Amino acid sequence: MNSKTIPPFPELIAATTRSAVHLEMRDTYVPQDPGFRRWLETGNLDHYDFTKWRRTIGDAVGRGVRFRRARIVSEPVTDYIRYEHVLTAPNSIAAGEQVRWLPRRLASDLALPGNDFWVFDDCLVRFHHFAGDGSIVEDELRDEPEVIRLCLVAFEAVWERAIDHAEYELT
């Protein structure tokens, strides 16, 4: 599939009927993000609007879609991972996602795809391509069965080892 034909993320979620899994493997994302920069300065989230994500994911969860997100992180964690950890409960979990964290040292023997991804209904993968500094480059959709299988096996391996958000303590 050509990256130019990628529907907006809310459309991908709206078309999802059963499940969505998301694997994140970077320690920094979009370092110039205004929300992240403000959190670094203030240490709080009073500027953050959770409405759009909660509505997008919450509507799908209401239709019966199961959302699981796993994050592989280096320890000690980066400031960006600290930011994501703070955002997780009021944003992802409040929207209905299940979230787990896996310290990178526990993932050494896992075979993982080279990029972060979402898998929708076990039939479509959305890979995220980032620059070295965490800036977004582009997304790519793939629907080949072997690519989907690779991503699902990798996700489940991470999910089995990962620690639930409520129990994961940052180091």
Side-chain angles (χ1 to χ4, degrees), residues 108-165:
S108 296
D109 60 341
L110 298 179
L112 302 168
N115 297 291
D116 290 11
F117 62 83
W118 282 87
V119 178
F120 303 100
D121 286 336
D122 301 340
C123 64
L124 182 66
V125 176
R126 179 184 180 202
F127 285 110
H128 300 293
H129 299 288
F130 295 92
D133 69 353
S135 301
I136 298 169
V137 175
E138 67 180 348
D139 289 332
E140 172 187 13
L141 291 181
R142 302 283 297 269
D143 60 3
E144 302 94 329
E146 62 275 7
V147 173
I148 294 164
R149 189 170 31 263
L150 169 73
C151 292
L152 289 172
V153 168
F155 180 86
E156 293 301 335
V158 170
W159 188 256
E160 282 298 312
R161 292 184 185 184
I163 302 161
D164 186 78
H165 174 74

Side-chain angles (χ1 to χ4, degrees), residues 25-95:
M25 299 179 282
R26 297 185 56 86
D27 288 320
T28 299
Y29 294 91
V30 196
Q32 297 310 316
D33 171 59
F36 171 59
R37 304 306 307 169
R38 181 139 181 211
W39 176 81
L40 278 176
E41 293 169 10
T42 67
N44 64 56
L45 299 173
D46 61 357
H47 61 282
Y48 200 91
D49 183 4
F50 300 108
T51 309
K52 186 175 179 181
W53 187 255
R54 284 184 185 171
R55 185 178 304 124
T56 299
I57 301 304
D59 289 351
V61 168
R63 294 191 322 269
V65 178
R66 181 179 183 207
F67 283 86
R68 294 184 296 155
R69 179 188 304 255
R71 293 180 171 132
I72 299 174
V73 296
S74 298
E75 294 178 322
V77 299
T78 63
D79 285 341
Y80 200 92
I81 294 302
R82 288 185 188 290
Y83 172 65
E84 280 193 329
H85 193 268
V86 169
L87 281 176
T88 295
N91 197 35
S92 298
I93 292 173

